Amino acid sequence: MQATSRLIAQREQCDRLCKLLSRHGGRLTLRDLRDSHGYDKTQVEVVAQAFPDRFELREVRPAVGRPSRVLVLRRSEEHTSELQSHHDLVCRLLL
């Protein structure tokens, strides 16, 4: 019973993070998630590991400044095909 409630909670966090990342261009640093949105680093890591098809954690090393970990929303096949040109979509459908 406890495992089921934990999965439900993770699924709800996943949905909230997806909506949040969608509003912010598909990516936010763990620092921004903590400081501006109240997410704990460990909490985000657990959800990202539980849903690897939805999220990716990346290490970003800028030329100047300290490195950051970024949570990236993975794009689905349907979403990326929406971003392609009409010609490319027709060619894919013909294949």
Side-chain angles (χ1 to χ4, degrees), residues 18-79:
C18 284
K19 289 176 187 176
L20 180 63
L21 291 173
S22 293
R23 289 193 309 260
H24 291 277
R27 61 189 298 151
L28 279 170
T29 65
L30 294 185
R31 191 176 305 114
D32 287 338
L33 284 166
R34 181 194 67 216
D35 295 346
S36 300
H37 304 285
Y39 282 94
D40 180 68
K41 176 184 132 182
T42 305
Q43 179 184 27
V44 172
E45 290 172 341
V46 167
V47 172
Q49 289 174 357
F51 299 96
D53 57 321
R54 306 284 298 272
F55 303 107
E56 179 182 354
L57 276 171
R58 294 182 187 165
E59 184 86 19
V60 176
R61 296 187 179 276
V64 177
R66 60 184 174 182
S68 297
R69 293 190 68 201
V70 177
L71 182 67
V72 179
L73 183 62
R74 290 184 185 267
R75 303 285 184 189
S76 65
E77 181 67 29
E78 295 84 22
H79 186 269

Side-chain angles (χ1 to χ4, degrees), residues 84-95:
Q84 295 175 358
S85 70
H86 178 73
H87 177 265
D88 292 337
L89 287 176
V90 170
C91 291
R92 285 183 75 191
L93 290 173
L94 293 174
L95 292 174

